[in-house]
Coordinates of all heavy atoms in Angstrom, one line a residue:
M6 N -7.0 -4.6 -3.5 CA -5.9 -4.4 -4.5 C -5.7 -2.9 -4.7 O -4.6 -2.4 -4.8 CB -6.3 -5.0 -5.8 CG -5.2 -4.9 -6.8 SD -5.4 -6.2 -8.1 CE -5.2 -5.2 -9.5
A7 N -6.8 -2.1 -4.7 CA -6.7 -0.6 -4.8 C -5.8 0.0 -3.7 O -5.0 0.9 -3.9 CB -8.0 0.0 -4.9
N8 N -6.0 -0.5 -2.5 CA -5.3 0.0 -1.3 C -3.8 -0.3 -1.5 O -2.9 0.5 -1.2 CB -5.8 -0.6 0.0 CG -7.1 0.0 0.3 OD1 -7.5 1.1 -0.1 ND2 -7.9 -0.7 1.1
V9 N -3.5 -1.5 -2.0 CA -2.1 -1.9 -2.2 C -1.5 -1.0 -3.2 O -0.3 -0.5 -3.1 CB -1.9 -3.4 -2.5 CG1 -0.5 -3.7 -2.9 CG2 -2.4 -4.3 -1.4
R10 N -2.2 -0.8 -4.3 CA -1.7 0.1 -5.4 C -1.5 1.5 -4.9 O -0.5 2.1 -5.2 CB -2.7 0.0 -6.6 CG -2.1 0.7 -7.8 CD -2.9 0.5 -9.0 NE -4.3 1.1 -8.8 CZ -5.4 0.6 -9.3 NH1 -5.4 -0.6 -9.9 NH2 -6.5 1.2 -9.1
A11 N -2.4 2.0 -4.1 CA -2.3 3.3 -3.6 C -1.1 3.4 -2.6 O -0.3 4.4 -2.7 CB -3.6 3.7 -2.8
E12 N -0.9 2.4 -1.8 CA 0.3 2.4 -0.9 C 1.6 2.3 -1.7 O 2.6 3.0 -1.4 CB 0.2 1.2 0.0 CG 1.3 1.1 1.0 CD 1.2 -0.1 1.9 OE1 0.0 -0.6 2.1 OE2 2.2 -0.6 2.4
M13 N 1.6 1.6 -2.8 CA 2.8 1.5 -3.7 C 3.1 2.9 -4.3 O 4.2 3.3 -4.3 CB 2.5 0.5 -4.8 CG 3.6 0.4 -5.8 SD 5.1 -0.2 -5.2 CE 6.1 -0.1 -6.7
Y14 N 2.1 3.5 -4.9 CA 2.3 4.8 -5.5 C 2.7 5.8 -4.4 O 3.6 6.7 -4.7 CB 1.0 5.3 -6.2 CG 0.7 4.5 -7.4 CD1 -0.6 4.3 -7.8 CD2 1.7 4.1 -8.3 CE1 -1.0 3.6 -8.9 CE2 1.3 3.4 -9.5 CZ 0.0 3.1 -9.8 OH -0.3 2.4 -10.9
N15 N 2.2 5.8 -3.3 CA 2.5 6.7 -2.2 C 4.0 6.5 -1.8 O 4.8 7.5 -1.7 CB 1.6 6.6 -1.0 CG 1.9 7.6 0.1 OD1 1.9 8.8 -0.2 ND2 2.1 7.1 1.3
S16 N 4.4 5.3 -1.6 CA 5.8 5.0 -1.2 C 6.7 5.5 -2.4 O 7.8 6.1 -2.1 CB 6.0 3.5 -1.0 OG 5.2 3.1 0.1
L17 N 6.4 5.2 -3.6 CA 7.2 5.6 -4.7 C 7.3 7.1 -4.8 O 8.4 7.6 -5.0 CB 6.6 5.0 -6.0 CG 7.3 5.1 -7.3 CD1 8.7 4.4 -7.2 CD2 6.5 4.5 -8.4
S18 N 6.2 7.8 -4.6 CA 6.2 9.2 -4.6 C 7.1 9.8 -3.6 O 7.9 10.7 -3.8 CB 4.8 9.7 -4.4 OG 4.8 11.1 -4.3
I19 N 7.0 9.3 -2.4 CA 7.9 9.8 -1.3 C 9.3 9.6 -1.5 O 10.1 10.5 -1.4 CB 7.5 9.1 0.1 CG1 6.1 9.6 0.5 CG2 8.5 9.4 1.2 CD1 5.5 8.8 1.6
M20 N 9.7 8.4 -2.0 CA 11.1 8.2 -2.3 C 11.6 9.0 -3.4 O 12.7 9.6 -3.4 CB 11.3 6.7 -2.6 CG 11.2 5.8 -1.4 SD 11.6 4.1 -1.7 CE 10.0 3.6 -2.2
L21 N 10.8 9.2 -4.5 CA 11.3 10.0 -5.6 C 11.4 11.5 -5.2 O 12.4 12.2 -5.6 CB 10.3 9.9 -6.8 CG 10.3 8.5 -7.5 CD1 9.2 8.5 -8.5 CD2 11.6 8.2 -8.1
E22 N 10.5 12.0 -4.4 CA 10.6 13.4 -3.8 C 11.8 13.5 -3.0 O 12.4 14.6 -3.0 CB 9.4 13.7 -3.0 CG 8.1 14.0 -3.8 CD 8.1 15.3 -4.5 OE1 8.7 16.3 -3.9 OE2 7.6 15.4 -5.6
A23 N 12.3 12.5 -2.3 CA 13.4 12.5 -1.5 C 14.7 12.4 -2.3 O 15.8 12.5 -1.8 CB 13.4 11.4 -0.4
G24 N 14.6 12.2 -3.6 CA 15.8 12.1 -4.5 C 16.3 10.7 -4.7 O 17.4 10.5 -5.2
V25 N 15.6 9.7 -4.2 CA 16.0 8.3 -4.4 C 15.9 7.9 -5.9 O 14.8 8.3 -6.5 CB 15.2 7.3 -3.5 CG1 15.6 5.9 -3.8 CG2 15.3 7.7 -2.1
E26 N 16.8 7.3 -6.5 CA 16.8 6.9 -7.9 C 15.6 6.0 -8.2 O 15.2 5.2 -7.4 CB 18.1 6.2 -8.2 CG 18.5 6.0 -9.6 CD 18.1 4.6 -10.1 OE1 18.0 3.6 -9.3 OE2 17.9 4.4 -11.3
V27 N 15.1 6.2 -9.4 CA 13.8 5.5 -9.8 C 13.9 4.0 -9.6 O 13.0 3.4 -9.0 CB 13.4 5.8 -11.2 CG1 12.2 5.0 -11.7 CG2 13.2 7.3 -11.4
R28 N 14.9 3.4 -10.1 CA 15.0 1.9 -10.0 C 15.1 1.4 -8.5 O 14.4 0.5 -8.1 CB 16.3 1.4 -10.7 CG 16.1 1.5 -12.2 CD 17.3 1.0 -13.0 NE 18.5 1.8 -12.6 CZ 19.7 1.5 -13.0 NH1 19.9 0.4 -13.7 NH2 20.7 2.2 -12.7
K29 N 15.8 2.1 -7.7 CA 15.9 1.8 -6.3 C 14.5 2.0 -5.6 O 14.1 1.2 -4.8 CB 17.0 2.5 -5.5 CG 17.1 2.1 -4.1 CD 18.3 2.8 -3.4 CE 18.4 2.2 -2.0 NZ 19.6 2.8 -1.3
S30 N 13.8 3.1 -6.0 CA 12.5 3.4 -5.4 C 11.5 2.3 -5.8 O 10.7 1.8 -5.0 CB 12.0 4.7 -6.0 OG 12.8 5.8 -5.6
L31 N 11.6 1.8 -7.0 CA 10.7 0.7 -7.5 C 11.0 -0.6 -6.7 O 10.0 -1.2 -6.3 CB 10.9 0.5 -9.0 CG 10.3 1.5 -9.9 CD1 10.8 1.3 -11.3 CD2 8.8 1.5 -9.8
R32 N 12.2 -0.9 -6.5 CA 12.6 -2.1 -5.8 C 12.1 -2.0 -4.3 O 11.6 -3.0 -3.8 CB 14.1 -2.4 -5.8 CG 14.6 -2.9 -7.1 CD 16.0 -3.4 -7.0 NE 16.9 -2.4 -6.4 CZ 17.7 -1.5 -7.1 NH1 17.6 -1.5 -8.4 NH2 18.5 -0.7 -6.5
T33 N 12.2 -0.9 -3.7 CA 11.8 -0.7 -2.3 C 10.3 -0.7 -2.2 O 9.8 -1.4 -1.3 CB 12.5 0.6 -1.8 OG1 13.9 0.5 -1.9 CG2 12.1 0.7 -0.3
A34 N 9.7 0.1 -3.0 CA 8.2 0.3 -2.9 C 7.4 -1.0 -3.2 O 6.3 -1.2 -2.7 CB 7.8 1.4 -3.7
R35 N 7.9 -1.8 -4.0 CA 7.1 -3.0 -4.4 C 7.0 -4.0 -3.3 O 6.3 -5.0 -3.4 CB 7.7 -3.7 -5.6 CG 9.0 -4.4 -5.4 CD 9.5 -5.2 -6.6 NE 10.7 -5.9 -6.2 CZ 11.8 -5.8 -6.8 NH1 11.9 -5.1 -7.9 NH2 12.9 -6.4 -6.4
G36 N 7.7 -3.8 -2.2 CA 7.6 -4.6 -1.0 C 6.2 -4.8 -0.5 O 5.9 -5.8 0.1
A37 N 5.3 -3.9 -0.8 CA 3.9 -4.0 -0.3 C 3.1 -4.9 -1.2 O 1.9 -5.1 -0.9 CB 3.3 -2.6 -0.2
T38 N 3.6 -5.3 -2.3 CA 2.8 -6.0 -3.3 C 3.0 -7.5 -3.2 O 4.0 -8.0 -2.6 CB 3.2 -5.6 -4.7 OG1 4.6 -5.8 -5.0 CG2 2.9 -4.1 -4.9
R39 N 2.1 -8.3 -3.8 CA 2.2 -9.7 -3.8 C 1.7 -10.3 -5.2 O 1.1 -9.6 -5.9 CB 1.3 -10.3 -2.7 CG 1.6 -9.9 -1.3 CD 2.8 -10.7 -0.8 NE 3.2 -10.3 0.5 CZ 4.2 -9.5 0.8 NH1 4.8 -8.9 -0.1 NH2 4.4 -9.2 2.1
G40 N 2.1 -11.5 -5.5 CA 1.6 -12.2 -6.6 C 1.8 -11.5 -8.0 O 2.9 -11.0 -8.3
R41 N 0.8 -11.4 -8.8 CA 0.9 -10.8 -10.1 C 1.3 -9.4 -10.1 O 2.1 -9.0 -10.9 CB -0.5 -10.9 -10.8 CG -0.5 -10.3 -12.2 CD -1.7 -10.6 -13.0 NE -2.9 -10.3 -12.3 CZ -4.1 -10.3 -12.8 NH1 -4.3 -10.7 -14.0 NH2 -5.2 -10.1 -12.1
Q42 N 0.8 -8.6 -9.0 CA 1.3 -7.2 -8.9 C 2.8 -7.1 -8.7 O 3.4 -6.3 -9.3 CB 0.5 -6.6 -7.8 CG -0.4 -5.5 -8.2 CD -1.0 -4.8 -7.0 OE1 -0.8 -5.1 -5.9 NE2 -1.7 -3.7 -7.3
R43 N 3.3 -8.0 -7.8 CA 4.7 -7.9 -7.5 C 5.5 -8.3 -8.7 O 6.5 -7.6 -9.1 CB 5.0 -8.9 -6.4 CG 6.5 -8.8 -5.9 CD 6.8 -9.7 -4.7 NE 8.1 -9.5 -4.3 CZ 8.5 -8.6 -3.4 NH1 7.6 -7.8 -2.9 NH2 9.7 -8.5 -3.0
R44 N 5.1 -9.3 -9.5 CA 5.8 -9.7 -10.7 C 5.8 -8.6 -11.7 O 6.8 -8.3 -12.4 CB 5.2 -11.0 -11.3 CG 5.6 -12.2 -10.5 CD 5.2 -13.5 -11.2 NE 3.7 -13.6 -11.3 CZ 2.9 -14.0 -10.4 NH1 3.3 -14.4 -9.2 NH2 1.6 -14.1 -10.7
A45 N 4.7 -7.9 -11.8 CA 4.6 -6.8 -12.8 C 5.5 -5.7 -12.4 O 6.2 -5.1 -13.2 CB 3.1 -6.3 -12.9
W46 N 5.5 -5.3 -11.1 CA 6.4 -4.3 -10.7 C 7.9 -4.7 -10.9 O 8.7 -3.8 -11.2 CB 6.2 -3.9 -9.2 CG 5.1 -2.9 -9.0 CD1 3.9 -3.2 -8.5 CD2 5.0 -1.6 -9.5 NE1 3.1 -2.1 -8.5 CE2 3.8 -1.1 -9.1 CE3 5.9 -0.7 -10.1 CZ2 3.4 0.3 -9.4 CZ3 5.5 0.6 -10.4 CH2 4.3 1.1 -10.0
E47 N 8.2 -5.9 -10.7 CA 9.6 -6.4 -10.9 C 9.9 -6.2 -12.4 O 11.0 -5.8 -12.7 CB 9.8 -7.8 -10.5 CG 9.8 -8.0 -9.0 CD 9.6 -9.4 -8.5 OE1 9.4 -10.4 -9.4 OE2 9.8 -9.7 -7.3
Q48 N 9.0 -6.5 -13.3 CA 9.2 -6.4 -14.7 C 9.3 -4.9 -15.1 O 10.1 -4.5 -16.0 CB 8.2 -7.1 -15.5 CG 8.3 -8.6 -15.4 CD 7.2 -9.4 -16.0 OE1 6.3 -8.8 -16.6 NE2 7.3 -10.7 -15.9
V49 N 8.5 -4.1 -14.4 CA 8.6 -2.6 -14.7 C 10.0 -2.1 -14.3 O 10.6 -1.3 -15.0 CB 7.5 -1.9 -13.9 CG1 7.7 -0.4 -13.9 CG2 6.1 -2.2 -14.5
A50 N 10.4 -2.5 -13.1 CA 11.8 -2.1 -12.7 C 12.8 -2.5 -13.7 O 13.8 -1.8 -14.0 CB 12.1 -2.6 -11.3
E51 N 12.7 -3.7 -14.2 CA 13.7 -4.2 -15.2 C 13.6 -3.4 -16.5 O 14.6 -3.1 -17.1 CB 13.4 -5.7 -15.5 CG 14.3 -6.3 -16.5 CD 15.8 -6.3 -16.1 OE1 16.2 -6.1 -14.9 OE2 16.7 -6.4 -17.0
G52 N 12.4 -3.1 -16.9 CA 12.2 -2.2 -18.1 C 12.9 -0.9 -17.9 O 13.6 -0.4 -18.8
V53 N 12.7 -0.3 -16.7 CA 13.4 1.0 -16.5 C 14.9 0.8 -16.4 O 15.6 1.7 -17.0 CB 12.8 1.6 -15.1 CG1 13.6 2.8 -14.7 CG2 11.3 2.0 -15.3
R54 N 15.3 -0.3 -15.9 CA 16.8 -0.5 -15.8 C 17.4 -0.6 -17.3 O 18.5 -0.2 -17.5 CB 17.1 -1.8 -15.1 CG 18.6 -2.1 -14.9 CD 18.9 -3.5 -14.4 NE 18.6 -4.5 -15.4 CZ 19.4 -4.8 -16.4 NH1 20.5 -4.0 -16.6 NH2 19.2 -5.7 -17.3
Q55 N 16.6 -1.2 -18.2 CA 17.0 -1.3 -19.6 C 16.8 0.0 -20.4 O 17.1 0.0 -21.6 CB 16.3 -2.4 -20.2 CG 16.6 -3.8 -19.7 CD 15.9 -4.9 -20.3 OE1 15.0 -4.7 -21.2 NE2 16.1 -6.1 -19.8
G56 N 16.3 1.0 -19.7 CA 16.2 2.3 -20.4 C 14.8 2.7 -20.9 O 14.6 3.8 -21.5
D57 N 13.8 1.9 -20.6 CA 12.4 2.3 -21.0 C 11.9 3.2 -19.9 O 12.3 3.3 -18.8 CB 11.5 1.0 -21.0 CG 11.9 0.0 -22.1 OD1 12.6 0.4 -23.1 OD2 11.6 -1.2 -21.9
G58 N 10.9 4.0 -20.3 CA 10.3 4.9 -19.4 C 9.4 4.1 -18.5 O 9.0 3.0 -18.7
L59 N 9.1 4.7 -17.3 CA 8.2 4.1 -16.3 C 6.8 3.8 -16.9 O 6.3 2.7 -16.8 CB 8.1 5.0 -15.1 CG 7.2 4.4 -13.9 CD1 7.7 3.1 -13.5 CD2 7.2 5.4 -12.8
A60 N 6.2 4.8 -17.6 CA 4.9 4.6 -18.2 C 4.9 3.5 -19.3 O 4.0 2.6 -19.3 CB 4.3 5.9 -18.8
A61 N 5.9 3.5 -20.1 CA 6.0 2.5 -21.2 C 6.2 1.1 -20.5 O 5.6 0.1 -21.0 CB 7.2 2.8 -22.1
S62 N 6.9 0.9 -19.5 CA 7.1 -0.3 -18.8 C 5.8 -0.8 -18.2 O 5.4 -2.0 -18.2 CB 8.2 -0.3 -17.8 OG 9.4 0.0 -18.4
M63 N 5.0 0.2 -17.6 CA 3.8 -0.2 -16.9 C 2.7 -0.6 -18.0 O 1.9 -1.4 -17.7 CB 3.3 1.0 -16.1 CG 4.1 1.3 -14.9 SD 3.6 2.9 -14.1 CE 2.0 2.5 -13.5
R64 N 2.8 0.1 -19.1 CA 1.8 -0.2 -20.2 C 1.8 -1.6 -20.6 O 0.8 -2.2 -21.1 CB 2.1 0.8 -21.4 CG 1.0 0.8 -22.4 CD 1.1 1.9 -23.4 NE 0.6 3.1 -22.9 CZ 1.3 4.2 -22.6 NH1 2.6 4.3 -23.0 NH2 0.8 5.3 -22.1
R65 N 2.9 -2.3 -20.4 CA 3.0 -3.7 -20.8 C 2.2 -4.7 -19.9 O 2.1 -5.9 -20.2 CB 4.5 -4.2 -20.8 CG 5.3 -3.5 -21.9 CD 6.7 -4.0 -21.9 NE 7.5 -3.2 -22.8 CZ 8.4 -2.4 -22.4 NH1 8.7 -2.2 -21.1 NH2 9.1 -1.6 -23.2
H66 N 1.6 -4.1 -18.9 CA 0.9 -4.9 -17.9 C -0.5 -4.3 -17.7 O -0.9 -3.9 -16.6 CB 1.6 -5.0 -16.6 CG 3.0 -5.5 -16.7 ND1 3.3 -6.8 -16.8 CD2 4.2 -4.8 -16.9 CE1 4.6 -6.9 -17.0 NE2 5.2 -5.8 -17.0
P67 N -1.4 -4.4 -18.7 CA -2.7 -3.7 -18.6 C -3.6 -4.4 -17.6 O -4.6 -3.7 -17.1 CB -3.3 -3.9 -20.0 CG -2.6 -5.0 -20.6 CD -1.2 -5.0 -20.0
K68 N -3.4 -5.6 -17.2 CA -4.2 -6.3 -16.1 C -3.9 -5.8 -14.7 O -4.6 -6.0 -13.8 CB -4.1 -7.8 -16.2 CG -4.8 -8.3 -17.5 CD -4.7 -9.8 -17.6 CE -5.4 -10.3 -18.9 NZ -5.4 -11.7 -19.0
V69 N -2.7 -5.2 -14.6 CA -2.2 -4.7 -13.3 C -2.4 -3.2 -13.2 O -2.8 -2.7 -12.1 CB -0.8 -5.2 -13.0 CG1 -0.3 -4.6 -11.7 CG2 -0.7 -6.7 -13.0
F70 N -2.0 -2.5 -14.2 CA -2.0 -1.0 -14.2 C -3.1 -0.5 -15.0 O -3.2 -0.7 -16.2 CB -0.7 -0.5 -14.7 CG 0.5 -1.0 -13.9 CD1 1.4 -1.9 -14.5 CD2 0.7 -0.7 -12.6 CE1 2.4 -2.4 -13.8 CE2 1.8 -1.2 -11.9 CZ 2.6 -2.1 -12.5
A71 N -4.0 0.3 -14.4 CA -5.1 0.9 -15.1 C -4.6 1.9 -16.1 O -3.5 2.6 -15.9 CB -6.0 1.6 -14.1
Q72 N -5.3 2.1 -17.2 CA -4.8 3.0 -18.2 C -4.7 4.4 -17.6 O -3.7 5.2 -18.0 CB -5.8 3.0 -19.4 CG -5.3 3.9 -20.5 CD -6.3 3.9 -21.7 OE1 -7.3 3.3 -21.7 NE2 -5.9 4.6 -22.8
M73 N -5.6 4.8 -16.8 CA -5.5 6.2 -16.2 C -4.2 6.3 -15.4 O -3.5 7.4 -15.4 CB -6.7 6.5 -15.2 CG -6.6 7.8 -14.6 SD -6.6 9.2 -15.8 CE -8.3 9.1 -16.4
D74 N -3.8 5.3 -14.6 CA -2.5 5.3 -13.9 C -1.3 5.6 -14.8 O -0.5 6.4 -14.6 CB -2.3 4.0 -13.1 CG -3.3 3.8 -12.0 OD1 -4.1 4.8 -11.7 OD2 -3.3 2.7 -11.4
V75 N -1.3 4.8 -15.9 CA -0.2 4.9 -16.9 C -0.2 6.3 -17.5 O 0.9 6.9 -17.7 CB -0.4 3.8 -18.0 CG1 0.7 4.0 -19.0 CG2 -0.3 2.4 -17.4
L76 N -1.4 6.8 -17.8 CA -1.4 8.2 -18.4 C -0.9 9.3 -17.5 O -0.3 10.2 -17.9 CB -2.9 8.5 -18.9 CG -3.3 7.7 -20.1 CD1 -4.8 7.9 -20.4 CD2 -2.5 7.9 -21.3
I77 N -1.3 9.1 -16.2 CA -0.8 10.1 -15.2 C 0.7 10.0 -15.1 O 1.4 11.1 -15.0 CB -1.5 9.8 -13.8 CG1 -2.9 10.2 -13.9 CG2 -0.8 10.6 -12.7 CD1 -3.8 9.8 -12.7
I78 N 1.3 8.8 -15.0 CA 2.7 8.6 -15.0 C 3.4 9.2 -16.2 O 4.4 10.0 -16.1 CB 3.1 7.2 -14.8 CG1 2.6 6.6 -13.5 CG2 4.6 7.0 -14.9 CD1 3.2 7.1 -12.3
E79 N 2.8 9.0 -17.4 CA 3.3 9.5 -18.6 C 3.3 11.0 -18.7 O 4.3 11.6 -19.1 CB 2.5 8.9 -19.8 CG 3.1 9.2 -21.1 CD 2.3 8.5 -22.2 OE1 1.1 8.5 -22.2 OE2 3.0 7.9 -23.1
A80 N 2.2 11.6 -18.2 CA 2.2 13.1 -18.1 C 3.3 13.6 -17.2 O 3.9 14.6 -17.5 CB 0.8 13.5 -17.6
G81 N 3.5 13.0 -16.1 CA 4.6 13.4 -15.2 C 6.0 13.3 -15.9 O 6.8 14.1 -15.7
E82 N 6.2 12.2 -16.6 CA 7.4 12.0 -17.3 C 7.7 13.1 -18.4 O 8.8 13.6 -18.5 CB 7.5 10.6 -18.0 CG 7.6 9.5 -17.0 CD 7.6 8.1 -17.7 OE1 6.9 7.9 -18.7 OE2 8.4 7.3 -17.2
I83 N 6.6 13.4 -19.1 CA 6.7 14.4 -20.1 C 6.9 15.8 -19.5 O 7.8 16.6 -20.0 CB 5.5 14.4 -21.0 CG1 5.5 13.1 -21.8 CG2 5.4 15.6 -21.9 CD1 4.1 12.9 -22.5
S84 N 6.2 16.1 -18.5 CA 6.3 17.5 -17.9 C 7.5 17.7 -17.0 O 7.9 18.8 -16.7 CB 5.0 17.8 -17.1 OG 4.9 17.0 -16.0
G85 N 8.1 16.6 -16.5 CA 9.2 16.7 -15.6 C 8.8 16.9 -14.2 O 9.4 17.2 -13.3

């Protein structure tokens, strides 16, 4: 599961660095996920679509996203 999560974050990072919009990046990068992880990422993408921050959307799924992951994302959102 850690490898899938790392692959997801890496794909997401590459797309965001390339200027791909966050929602599209989330939809594309979640392709590496399955089951509960995939459903969580779909809900995260929906939360972002509705205007929530990425970290706030991830925080709703504590069984999928480690608190440290959410905090790192939140720090990035705050710092730009």
Side-chain angles (χ1 to χ4, degrees):
M6 185 158 131
N8 289 337
V9 172
R10 191 171 62 218
E12 184 179 330
M13 173 67 184
Y14 290 143
N15 185 51
S16 296
L17 189 58
S18 171
I19 290 168
M20 286 184 276
L21 292 173
E22 285 285 325
V25 178
E26 193 260 338
V27 174
R28 291 181 297 174
K29 185 173 183 178
S30 297
L31 287 168
R32 284 192 308 269
T33 303
R35 75 174 179 235
T38 62
R39 299 284 180 260
R41 179 172 48 177
Q42 246 187 355
R43 184 175 186 89
R44 286 187 300 276
W46 277 112
E47 288 169 354
Q48 291 173 1
V49 166
E51 179 61 19
V53 170
R54 187 191 71 74
Q55 293 178 1
D57 296 335
L59 182 56
S62 295
M63 291 171 67
R64 191 170 277 119
R65 293 186 188 105
H66 305 279
K68 292 183 179 181
V69 175
F70 303 110
Q72 184 178 5
M73 181 60 74
D74 293 350
V75 175
L76 291 172
I77 290 169
I78 298 294
E79 187 172 48
E82 287 178 324
I83 291 169
S84 67

